[in-house]
Amino acid sequence: MLIPCPHCGTRPVEEFTFLGDASVTRPTSNDPASMEQWYDYVYLRANPRGRFAEFAHHSGGCRAWLVVTRNTETHEVYGAVTARDYARAKGAKA
Amino acid sequence: MTSFRLSKGGLIDRAAQLSFSFDGKRFTGHKGDTLASALLANGVTLMGRSFKYHRPRGPITAGAAEPNALVELREGGRKEANTRATMVELYDGLVAASQNRWPSLDFDVGAVNSLASSIFVAGFYYKTFMWPKSFWEKIYEPLIRRAAGLGTASKLPDPDKYEKAYAHCDLLVIGSGPTGLMAALAAGRAGKRVILADEGSALGGSLLNEREEIGGTSGLDWAMGVLAELASLPNVTLMPRTTVIGWFDGNIFGAVERVSDHVAAPDPHEPRQRYWKIIAKRAVLAAGAEERPVAFGGNDTPGVMLASAMRTYANRYAAAAGKSVVVFGNNDHAYRTARDLKAHGVHVEVIIDSRKESGADAAGVPVLRGRMVADVTGGRAVKAVHLTDGTHIACDAVAMSGGFSPIVNLACHKGAKPRWDANLLAFLPPDTGAAFTAAGAAAGKMLLSECLADGAAKGAADGRAISVPTCRDEAHAIAPLWWVKESQGKAFIDYQNDATAKDLPLAAREGYKDIELAKRYTTTGMATDQGKLGNVNAIAIMAEATGRSMDEVGTTTFRPFYTPVAFGAFAGPFTGHHFQPVRKTPLHDWAAEQGAVFVETGLWMRSSWFPRKGEDWLAAASREVLATRSGVGLCDVSTLGKIDVQGRDAGQFLDKLYCNTFSTLAVGKARYGLMLREDGIVSDDGTTSRLAEDHYVMTTTTANAAKVMAQMEFAHQALFPDLDVTYVSVTEQWAQMAVAGPKSRATLQKIVDGLAMSDETVPYMAALEVSILGGIPARLFRLSFSGEHAYELAVPADYGNMAARALMQAGAEFGIVPYGVEALSIMRIEKGHVAGGELNGTTTAGDLGLGKMMSTKKDYIGRMMAQREGLNDPNRQCVVGIRPVDVTDRIRSGAHILRKDDKPSMANDQGYVSSVAWSPMLNMWIGLALVANGRARHGEIVQVWDGLRGTQVLGEICDPMHFDKENKRLHA
């Protein structure tokens, strides 16, 4: 599998370390009332068939954390953005 | 011995005579031979014994699918078992041995298995060796393994080197027969980067084996012309001896190049094999088609082989399979076989055609139609065939053809299933998209003209077509024939596993109708050839037995690798210390000078203890502790992870990472920090110092240095992207040493420049930038892991050895000693400091007695989850000290803690000993333990039960701090 790293170009998957579902967002509240959100954030992970965005660390390359979107069924890789851009875009939306 | 070498023809170099040995006997062959062709030319058809029945076997094929002629090739560390003699290029001095026979290939005691074959039917392991259960592991399995089997592996290390390489291309062409050559030519002429890979020793594919006519010349000459043109194109790479073994995501193909397998030993600096990952924009599968055997009695007798193999041995290797041949088939290729053999002067007795009609040219060879070979007699060599009509024909070789199966394997590696074509009687490759297409015979094109045109079309790029040469086509009509049921003898479907045609209906009767289950029950399609020859026949017989269509039965799963691959090829150069490189600290040379014994921890070589004459590790470590606690000791702590953190928001960032607060830390001070995972469990600890308002230096444990760095990158980039902070690992850039003991200050004072060291100038937890030895930049931290008045000194890595030597000199008057990680560990256990045994991925800050460090004033990773009820249960196991009641008793790490009067059982488990040490200060074994509700149980007498070592002693739970509870020495 090849991953299009925004910094390094297309690189083999062996250079990356995967962390899983990138759809989760770390809650901002430390209020005990937010505990349910925290459980979801820490433990609930999607495992869809089809399109899936997941965190990947280019640990054998530029060391950027990326969000790689791929198809879990066909293994087609749709693209990758940096986790920073992804987080900022999500923050802007929220 | 009669020679079966034809007097002329073939692609062998008759001038180059090669000597080789098989089972200790000397033979000669020629350059261009395979081991199998050279043996056949010498009249040797018996090359192995079968897996289960030990039946005599010879080669069935002349290529990669060979199930029978498996040998142990080479000797010593280079011995390779199960090597296909049909693929081994002959070289001078080759040594091979047959497999699975005892005492000899000619007389094999195991062949009595054949007489008892009624109990060796499908599933016999499961039926016969069921009872008693305990016998399986100790008696049945070893017995079966000895009696049934393939070759044996060498126990010596492999002396050869292997490489890994990447290649990129616009078009990868797999197979260099007529289809592949046309595809490569079309893309090559269009200027595309082309790789043409073929598993054969020479390029040309079937054109090397068959008599064809293309473009007004022989197929061989045409192929040589095309190869010459391809070789002249700078954008085309030709890769013979390269088997493409798998198709992977991203159109990446795995390929094994046999760089040196055709010579006795690789040249120095050459690998034996090279594993390629070929990243192809497009690829064409031009792997051709595999001929199928027919199931009839004795179809495994040496001398029975595929018709195409017999043609190949005659046409390419100038070796005759026999003196008098019977050709048997269900298709027109039987006729071309007879023609080819006749042209080479080999007598063909008769063609047996299972069909009633055929228009193919028999070139004067008699043809018996509408009949079949029922049985071959002869045992170790063919003597005769018996036909279904009772006819008896003497012969010494049988060529058989049951039709052709496109080699679809690679196209199915991603899970798509092939589909049955009832007209061609073949499974065709699935649609695999535009980036990987099958062409030619692999796509079911059975005529040469179709192959040439298909290759040209599939290889064409940018709309640039090339002209397709004219050629002569062979007839290819076929009628179904899988199994001659009139057979008396064993009719083999899968030669390598000794599975017979009868096994499949039996499996169906017993409920294993699913082809995947039938495969496992009958073992059809397993082992090194993975059913390349027999699977389609097996599917057809299963379809008939269960009244289903071929598509309904379907194929088993095609998985990488196409052919077996040596482990070495996958390991490549990454073996031993090339897999796990050695990391030496900047103080390695100093420690070696001091006589250190090094221990590998992760990749690091750490100085473990510094024995003096006659000392074992415990004596050395104990002496080091005593000397340090009474004077001064020097320890290399360079392996600790060091991360330089800078930026306006550095403090804020560290506040997120640690459960305690760093933004409030004064410049020039250090603080112990504890990191949690987001689920509230402790992940790492270490001291972090603030060197300037916007500059911190973090330390991590040795083991977690890389992990913490990756977690910081995640936290910053994915969670807190707007923090203005940057950080870099500087672990390798700094040499760091602990200087501990009452004389540590006096020692350091002698090398530190211009600083009068005192509790005022260098207070406890100070972190200062200083210089030493007249200008060497250094960082001085007043930290203590040992519990002594102690410092850590960091200098740029290249100054490490110099600084350590200077400290040894400075401390000489105080009796300074170097101490290793053993002494370090003893002292930390004496002081009750937690380390790896306690920071074990299950403990919370509270469990470690560090609950008060968790800030309530800020958000940090792990804060919320750490508040969960279960993580705050007072009955959780927490860190305590443990010591023996009788001080002569030894407490062992891993021992379990039980209440004093409870029976030794895990049901009564209260916790376990996580760290132990012999304390030279207390003169006894002491430890740290994780015990349920432990902090409330100090003073309780418990059993320390080590069920593994069978020991049980009484211990006392105590404060983890075994020594100097008031921390007087720290501030002395």
Side-chain angles (χ1 to χ4, degrees):
Chain A
M1 189 181 281
L2 301 170
I3 308 289
C5 173
H7 297 144
C8 309
T10 302
R11 305 297 306 169
V13 71
E14 290 84 353
E15 292 182 3
F16 296 81
T17 311
F18 281 76
L19 189 67
D21 188 5
S23 70
V24 294
T25 305
R26 191 174 187 271
T28 49
S29 170
N30 284 325
D31 190 321
S34 66
M35 211 58 176
E36 277 304 317
Q37 278 171 268
W38 280 95
Y39 279 118
D40 289 354
Y41 168 66
V42 173
Y43 291 112
L44 269 194
R45 292 292 181 274
N47 183 21
R49 176 178 177 145
R51 202 180 178 88
F52 188 43
E54 61 191 331
F55 287 118
H57 190 204
H58 198 182
S59 44
C62 63
R63 296 199 65 86
W65 277 92
L66 309 179
V67 174
V68 176
T69 309
R70 67 179 179 105
N71 188 310
T72 57
E73 194 182 359
T74 64
H75 296 189
E76 186 184 348
V77 176
Y78 301 115
V81 296
T82 65
R84 175 175 283 129
D85 288 346
Y86 182 84
R88 282 180 174 155
K90 207 151 64 165
K93 233 184 270 172
Chain B
M1 188 170 285
T2 329
S3 174
F4 286 78
R5 182 71 77 186
L6 301 171
S7 57
K8 55 185 194 304
L11 303 180
I12 52 167
D13 180 355
R14 290 176 192 261
Q17 202 164 71
L18 308 174
S19 163
F20 70 101
S21 90
F22 178 64
D23 278 347
K25 262 195 192 157
R26 309 294 309 176
F27 296 97
T28 57
H30 294 288
K31 195 166 165 19
D33 261 325
T34 62
L35 174 58
S37 72
L39 284 170
L40 285 176
N42 280 284
V44 178
T45 51
L46 174 56
M47 297 189 195
R49 288 274 173 173
S50 72
F51 183 76
K52 200 158 72 176
Y53 300 127
H54 293 248
R55 285 171 70 104
R57 291 282 169 82
I60 292 282
T61 73
E66 180 57 34
N68 280 348
L70 305 182
V71 298
E72 291 176 358
L73 187 67
R74 299 188 165 88
E75 294 173 304
R78 290 200 165 93
K79 184 173 90 166
E80 187 178 68
N82 310 329
T83 303
R84 294 155 293 165
T86 51
M87 293 297 284
V88 175
E89 293 175 56
L90 198 68
Y91 54 85
D92 200 46
L94 180 147
V95 177
S98 59
Q99 303 181 160
N100 196 33
R101 81 287 189 262
W102 185 85
S104 77
L105 187 57
D106 269 328
F107 176 74
D108 178 9
V109 167
V112 298
N113 282 2
S114 224
L115 303 176
S117 63
S118 61
I119 67 161
F120 286 152
V121 295
F124 84 103
Y125 293 144
Y126 315 114
K127 290 169 184 162
T128 314
F129 300 107
M130 280 182 40
W131 182 91
K133 207 175 161 192
S134 61
F135 271 35
W136 176 255
E137 206 175 302
K138 291 206 172 69
I139 295 172
Y140 292 147
E141 198 189 351
L143 207 73
I144 293 166
R145 285 204 183 282
R146 208 175 313 135
L150 297 166
T152 54
S154 171
K155 296 209 163 87
L156 299 169
D158 185 343
D160 291 332
K161 294 187 284 288
Y162 298 82
E163 281 181 2
K164 289 193 184 193
Y166 283 90
H168 297 257
C169 60
D170 296 310
L171 181 72
L172 167 66
V173 180
I174 302 159
S176 63
T179 310
L181 288 177
M182 287 303 282
L185 197 59
R189 282 183 182 166
K192 296 293 170 188
R193 287 186 305 166
V194 177
I195 292 175
L196 176 61
D198 192 293
E199 66 186 340
S201 56
L203 298 177
S206 63
L207 298 176
L208 300 170
N209 307 336
E210 305 281 15
R211 299 192 311 157
E212 308 279 13
E213 282 174 32
I214 303 177
T217 179
S218 76
L220 182 66
D221 286 345
W222 177 82
M224 293 306 128
V226 172
L227 284 166
E229 180 179 347
L230 290 173
S232 74
L233 295 173
N235 50 314
V236 175
T237 305
L238 301 178
M239 297 181 73
R241 299 188 177 109
T242 303
T243 307
V244 177
I245 54 161
W247 178 39
F248 304 107
D249 294 324
N251 230 32
I252 299 174
F253 292 83
V256 176
E257 182 187 4
R258 301 187 306 280
V259 181
S260 307
D261 279 356
H262 59 295
V263 292
D267 282 341
H269 317 299
E270 281 276 27
R272 178 189 167 214
Q273 295 179 348
R274 192 176 282 128
Y275 180 62
W276 288 92
K277 284 187 188 173
I278 301 172
I279 294 126
K281 287 201 181 112
R282 279 198 314 128
V284 169
L285 178 64
E290 198 81 68
E291 196 167 20
R292 293 190 291 257
V294 180
F296 54 82
N299 65 346
D300 64 328
T301 311
V304 179
M305 64 175 73
L306 293 170
S308 58
M310 208 176 277
R311 292 198 300 275
T312 298
Y313 285 118
N315 292 331
R316 179 172 179 179
Y317 299 110
K323 302 282 186 201
S324 177
V325 178
V326 167
V327 181
F328 170 42
N330 64 343
N331 65 76
D332 292 342
H333 289 268
Y335 296 79
R336 96 184 282 190
T337 308
R339 286 203 310 271
D340 280 14
L341 295 177
K342 198 175 164 193
H344 285 293
V346 178
H347 173 70
V348 181
E349 184 69 25
V350 64
I351 297 170
I352 316 286
D353 189 337
S354 64
R355 301 168 299 172
K356 293 237 161 53
E357 284 170 28
S358 166
D361 171 17
V365 174
V367 183
L368 293 174
R369 296 182 210 275
R371 270 159 281 194
M372 292 170 283
V373 172
D375 285 285
V376 170
T377 55
R380 261 178 282 169
V382 174
K383 289 198 177 116
V385 294
H386 295 279
L387 305 191
T388 43
D389 64 358
T391 317
H392 176 100
I393 302 166
C395 61
D396 65 353
V398 178
M400 62 179 163
S401 179
F404 289 84
S405 302
I407 299 176
V408 301
N409 300 52
L410 287 167
C412 302
H413 277 178
K414 289 204 208 167
K417 294 278 189 182
R419 58 206 156 77
W420 181 250
D421 184 310
N423 292 321
L424 290 169
L425 297 180
F427 279 104
L428 298 184
D431 180 9
T432 41
F436 187 33
T437 46
K445 306 280 190 277
M446 297 300 183
L447 294 178
L448 181 59
S449 58
E450 291 177 334
C451 289
L452 294 168
D454 201 31
K458 302 257 170 75
D462 305 336
R464 290 178 57 179
I466 59 168
S467 64
V468 179
T470 56
C471 67
R472 188 196 69 212
D473 278 327
E474 283 285 344
H476 79 291
I478 183 169
L481 171 64
W482 316 105
W483 176 17
V484 182
K485 295 205 187 79
E486 294 86 341
S487 296
Q488 301 291 311
K490 284 194 180 62
F492 288 92
I493 287 291
D494 185 310
Y495 292 96
Q496 194 164 111
N497 294 292
D498 272 352
T500 65
K502 282 180 182 167
D503 284 340
L504 288 144
L506 175 72
R509 283 198 301 280
E510 296 190 348
Y512 300 98
K513 290 178 187 163
D514 182 287
I515 194 67
E516 295 281 8
L517 294 178
K519 168 178 174 173
R520 279 138 189 96
Y521 195 61
T522 64
T523 69
T524 302
M526 293 188 170
T528 70
D529 67 334
Q530 288 288 298
K532 286 187 177 63
L533 296 184
N535 268 8
V536 174
N537 291 358
I539 292 161
I541 293 169
M542 184 55 93
E544 194 190 281
T546 57
R548 290 177 297 173
S549 70
M550 293 293 278
D551 271 324
E552 280 167 346
V553 174
T555 61
T556 52
T557 308
F558 293 91
R559 294 188 179 87
F561 316 106
Y562 175 61
T563 46
V565 182
F567 280 113
F570 289 125
F574 305 110
T575 59
H577 279 305
H578 296 289
F579 176 69
Q580 286 233 311
V582 173
R583 289 178 90 182
K584 290 179 179 171
T585 77
L587 296 174
H588 189 88
D589 289 351
W590 163 79
E593 282 160 25
Q594 296 290 331
V597 171
F598 292 96
V599 62
E600 282 184 60
T601 47
L603 304 180
W604 287 109
M605 297 289 281
R606 297 186 74 178
S607 40
S608 198
W609 65 88
F610 295 81
R612 289 185 185 163
K613 205 164 185 255
E615 282 182 336
D616 63 4
W617 72 271
L618 187 56
S622 300
R623 174 184 48 74
E624 291 163 22
V625 170
L626 291 167
T628 301
R629 292 215 189 275
S630 63
V632 58
L634 175 58
C635 182
D636 180 5
V637 294
S638 304
T639 60
L640 292 175
K642 299 181 269 303
I643 299 169
D644 199 86
V645 187
Q646 299 191 34
R648 197 185 59 208
D649 298 331
Q652 221 185 316
F653 184 45
L654 293 175
D655 283 351
K656 292 287 191 190
L657 298 174
Y658 284 112
C659 73
N660 50 328
T661 307
F662 279 83
S663 55
T664 57
L665 182 66
V667 172
K669 293 289 269 184
R671 180 172 285 168
Y672 174 71
L674 198 63
M675 281 185 198
L676 308 188
R677 307 192 306 222
E678 198 70 271
D679 67 357
I681 297 292
V682 172
S683 69
D684 199 55
D685 71 344
T687 49
T688 287
S689 308
R690 192 169 200 173
L691 298 179
E693 201 57 41
D694 58 354
H695 186 189
Y696 291 79
V697 179
M698 173 192 272
T699 59
T700 74
T701 59
T702 300
N704 288 336
K707 194 174 83 180
V708 169
M709 187 68 193
Q711 284 165 348
M712 283 172 75
E713 287 162 335
F714 181 78
H716 181 219
Q717 296 171 28
L719 302 181
F720 315 113
D722 295 322
L723 291 180
D724 179 6
V725 61
T726 183
Y727 38 90
V728 63
S729 167
V730 292
T731 304
E732 312 252 341
Q733 277 67 36
W734 292 86
Q736 194 147 328
M737 51 215 103
V739 185
K743 296 293 183 190
S744 56
R745 184 151 65 194
T747 302
L748 274 164
Q749 182 66 76
K750 290 164 77 173
I751 69 159
V752 173
D753 299 336
L755 171 70
M757 290 174 66
S758 69
D759 284 342
E760 284 70 44
T761 57
V762 193
Y764 180 56
M765 296 307 267
L768 305 174
E769 289 184 288
V770 297
S771 76
I772 62 165
L773 298 170
I776 297 170
R779 289 166 179 175
L780 182 63
F781 309 92
R782 187 163 165 196
L783 305 171
S784 178
F785 198 46
S786 58
E788 295 300 319
H789 183 125
Y791 301 84
E792 283 184 19
L793 181 72
V795 293
D798 287 350
Y799 291 109
N801 287 312
M802 180 204 249
R805 287 172 193 136
L807 280 168
M808 290 304 287
Q809 220 165 13
E813 62 174 299
F814 311 117
I816 192 168
V817 294
Y819 69 92
V821 286
E822 288 295 340
L824 177 98
S825 178
I826 292 171
M827 289 193 274
R828 74 102 185 162
I829 293 169
E830 285 180 333
K831 289 301 293 178
H833 291 150
V834 291
E838 294 77 35
L839 301 169
N840 60 11
T842 68
T843 46
T844 64
D847 298 341
L848 301 175
L850 303 170
K852 286 197 183 117
M853 288 178 70
M854 294 194 291
S855 170
T856 54
K857 298 198 181 96
K858 56 148 189 164
D859 175 50
Y860 58 88
I861 289 172
R863 171 179 167 152
M864 291 301 284
M865 287 290 116
Q867 295 170 31
R868 285 180 291 166
E869 211 179 324
L871 296 191
N872 293 282
D873 182 342
N875 274 322
R876 282 182 67 81
Q877 295 183 349
C878 64
V879 172
V880 295
I882 186 82
R883 51 175 66 190
V885 171
D886 176 345
V887 297
T888 63
D889 280 339
R890 179 172 183 178
I891 286 173
R892 298 276 198 168
S893 186
H896 282 262
I897 306 292
L898 309 173
R899 283 198 186 84
K900 186 164 171 278
D901 298 319
D902 277 353
K903 272 211 305 219
S905 146
M906 285 307 288
N908 296 322
D909 188 34
Q910 297 290 303
Y912 62 97
V913 179
S914 51
S915 305
V916 291
W918 166 260
S919 167
M921 303 309 292
L922 304 172
N923 269 312
M924 64 165 129
W925 288 93
I926 56 169
L928 300 178
L930 288 157
V931 175
N933 193 23
R935 264 190 294 282
R937 297 170 71 171
H938 291 185
E940 182 180 330
I941 306 298
V942 292
Q943 295 178 67
V944 184
W945 169 55
D946 185 343
L948 279 181
R949 297 185 185 90
T951 63
Q952 198 174 345
V953 300
L954 285 180
E956 181 190 338
I957 295 175
C958 59
D959 191 287
M961 210 188 288
H962 289 278
F963 175 70
D964 184 27
K965 286 192 176 47
E966 299 78 27
N967 272 333
K968 280 186 188 152
R969 306 173 72 95
L970 192 61
H971 302 290

